[in-house]
Amino acid sequence: MEKNVREEENEPGQIVNPWEVSGKDGGKIDYDKLIDKFGCQRLDQTLIRRVERLTSRPPHVFLRRGVFFAHRDFNEILDAYERGEKFYLYTGRGPSSEALHLGHLVPFMFTKYLQDAFKVPLVIQLTDDEKCMWKNLSVEESQRLARENAKDIIACGFDITKTFIFSDFDYVGGAFYKNMVRVAKCVTFNKVVGIFGFTAEDHIGKISFPPVQAVPSFPSSFPHLFSGKDDLRCLIPCAIDQDPYFRMTRDVAPRIGYQKPSLIESSFFPALQGETGKMSASDPNSAIYVTDSAKDIKNKINKYAFSGGQDSIENHRKYGANLEVDIPIKYLGFFLEDDDELEHIRKEYATGRMLTGEVKKRLIEVLTELVERHRRARAAVTDEMVDAFMAVRPLPGMFD
């Protein structure tokens, strides 16, 4: 069942919406309660094994380890794919900072896997208008940040013959705007307040924004890509804090003649200081950025990464580490590819045979390699490449 609820009124303490994420009393996010509240489904092993069978490749590490843990109608996307029907991917980025941190990279890394595995087209929305309204940025600065963020996104390795990146300031109009109006007419003020928690103090730009994020999930919003394919299904990989936008979208879609988009949703990448929400772009010491040097990464992990180890070597050898709160272990769970090595580290650390410093050292190696690889890829992205990805054009390799 789809649910439209306002977190502040229905779950005191735990707040999860597109602009704020915090656990009850500063604690961890309760994802089981979130699934129940939002009305989405848990992503189970049956679906993951089905993805492996249909794509003839191993499931992504984010699937294997439950980083992407919830969905809406993902099974229907797989049903359609198995029948030989195509779909397209839609994800996005709100450009509010110069550079991305690792939490920002997670949905793009996973989306690239989906694009490669299913061989489908992808649209990536840069919501420069949203950040202009929420972050008090000028229109020009929001547009500049969108292009800078596009370079980081392109560096993830997306196929230019299957990928269209667009900024709202540049693209909104025509068929896209027509769909925005269709959605807007179906959503009352009371409904949008109930879903997003807007108040009388919020300016009308915020209240009018949700249709902008809704309509990329309708193929008719992109006539240069999907002309005559109005029944094409859409799959949206995103973090679960974006779910309110698409609860609204799924409610409206059948009323205006479109398919409901499907979603596959991730948990939050925790801050270095602990798993109480997600990394914050406003606190540079809460996050590892793709612009961080090897020295920065080493210092941040050693100084700020919250440890579940004991307060002395003697106690650690005796009692072992608490893996439930240990941030280095959680980060390795995201980015260490080798399942056997991860399991070995978890076992040795939990029993006290491996020390916190050793675990952090391995994490520093993994993250330094990842960030260096990304930095090299981004350095090769030119302004001309950004223009090419953002050009309104057919995609020659769309379903190849």
Side-chain angles (χ1 to χ4, degrees):
M1 184 176 111
E2 312 267 348
K3 299 182 180 180
N4 293 329
V5 294
R6 183 174 172 183
E7 286 78 7
E8 292 89 338
E9 293 176 352
N10 289 276
E11 189 69 48
Q14 176 159 295
I15 300 173
V16 176
N17 61 47
W19 311 286
E20 183 179 359
V21 173
S22 62
K24 187 175 183 179
D25 300 324
K28 292 171 63 174
I29 298 297
D30 188 326
Y31 289 105
D32 288 327
K33 282 189 177 180
L34 209 52
I35 284 177
D36 181 58
K37 176 195 299 297
F38 286 178
C40 46
Q41 298 85 44
R42 172 84 53 181
L43 194 64
D44 60 25
Q45 286 299 316
T46 303
L47 277 177
I48 295 170
R49 286 194 296 270
R50 193 175 176 201
V51 169
E52 183 174 17
R53 177 173 60 81
L54 290 175
T55 62
S56 301
R57 63 172 65 198
H60 193 277
V61 64
F62 294 161
L63 273 181
R64 298 200 306 271
R65 296 184 189 152
V67 173
F68 278 79
F69 73 103
H71 73 100
R72 292 184 184 275
D73 294 344
F74 182 49
N75 53 307
E76 292 187 14
I77 290 285
L78 298 181
D79 290 345
Y81 184 79
E82 197 158 20
R83 291 193 300 266
E85 298 173 14
K86 304 298 185 180
F87 65 92
Y88 74 100
L89 298 164
Y90 155 41
T91 194
R93 160 80 185 137
S96 60
S97 59
E98 195 83 32
L100 307 189
H101 59 53
L102 295 184
H104 295 143
L105 277 189
V106 166
F108 293 110
M109 293 170 71
F110 187 65
T111 300
K112 173 176 164 45
Y113 153 77
L114 291 173
Q115 182 182 60
D116 292 346
F118 289 98
K119 300 179 175 60
V120 290
L122 162 67
V123 296
I124 299 175
Q125 181 181 41
L126 301 174
T127 55
D128 42 9
D129 52 344
E130 177 198 21
K131 293 307 174 185
C132 177
M133 291 187 285
W134 261 268
K135 297 290 186 179
N136 198 29
L137 297 170
S138 69
V139 170
E140 294 73 21
E141 178 65 1
S142 297
Q143 289 182 293
R144 187 187 72 80
L145 291 176
R147 283 188 66 88
E148 290 302 306
N149 285 189
K151 293 175 182 177
D152 277 314
I153 292 167
I154 292 166
C156 293
F158 293 108
D159 183 347
I160 195 170
T161 70
K162 291 183 170 68
T163 305
F164 174 52
I165 302 175
F166 67 99
S167 87
D168 289 342
F169 278 135
D170 290 337
Y171 186 73
V172 171
F176 194 98
Y177 185 67
K178 290 176 186 176
N179 278 338
M180 284 170 50
V181 171
R182 291 181 180 112
V183 170
K185 287 175 67 177
C186 292
V187 183
T188 66
F189 176 74
N190 284 340
K191 177 65 72 73
V192 85
V193 167
I195 296 171
F196 297 100
F198 296 134
T199 72
E201 300 306 310
D202 285 310
H203 59 67
I204 61 173
K206 292 183 178 182
I207 296 161
S208 65
F209 176 75
V212 186
Q213 188 158 324
V215 302
S217 56
F218 305 146
S220 64
S221 297
F222 306 100
H224 69 286
L225 299 179
F226 306 128
S227 179
K229 296 182 171 70
D230 286 1
D231 286 336
L232 196 64
R233 295 293 299 255
C234 176
L235 174 63
I236 305 168
C238 62
I240 199 167
D241 60 337
Q242 300 300 303
D243 190 85
Y245 281 116
F246 302 112
R247 293 204 302 279
M248 182 196 78
T249 308
R250 285 168 55 86
D251 178 61
V252 169
R255 295 156 61 189
I256 58 176
Y258 294 131
Q259 299 258 28
K260 292 182 178 183
S262 299
L263 284 84
I264 184 165
E265 300 177 313
S266 73
S267 57
F268 304 115
F269 193 70
L272 284 166
Q273 286 83 354
E275 196 176 21
T276 59
K278 61 179 182 179
M279 282 185 168
S280 170
S282 61
D283 178 5
N285 290 324
S286 75
I288 303 295
Y289 284 82
V290 295
T291 50
D292 283 345
S293 67
K295 183 179 179 181
D296 292 332
I297 293 169
K298 181 178 180 180
N299 289 342
K300 284 184 178 182
I301 296 299
N302 283 331
K303 187 173 182 180
Y304 297 110
F306 187 83
S307 169
Q310 302 298 329
D311 56 3
S312 69
I313 292 179
E314 182 183 4
N315 283 340
H316 187 81
R317 296 293 191 200
K318 184 175 181 181
Y319 300 111
N322 177 0
L323 303 189
E324 287 301 307
V325 300
D326 192 89
I327 289 298
I329 283 291
K330 292 185 185 299
Y331 279 23
L332 286 171
F334 276 79
F335 296 121
L336 180 59
E337 287 281 345
D338 189 320
D339 291 338
D340 291 337
E341 183 185 358
L342 179 64
E343 184 55 35
H344 174 76
I345 291 171
R346 288 176 59 86
K347 183 177 179 181
E348 293 295 294
Y349 193 35
T351 57
R353 290 191 291 270
M354 181 176 275
L355 299 175
T356 297
E358 296 173 279
V359 177
K360 287 188 172 184
K361 181 175 182 292
R362 183 67 181 114
L363 176 61
I364 290 165
E365 293 170 353
V366 169
L367 295 188
T368 300
E369 181 185 352
L370 185 157
V371 170
E372 287 294 335
R373 186 168 64 245
H374 182 87
R375 184 184 289 114
R376 289 193 299 271
R378 192 192 192 281
V381 178
T382 63
D383 285 324
E384 290 74 21
M385 288 174 66
V386 176
D387 291 338
F389 270 93
M390 298 183 75
V392 177
R393 76 221 187 269
L395 297 178
M398 192 161 66
F399 291 116
D400 292 349

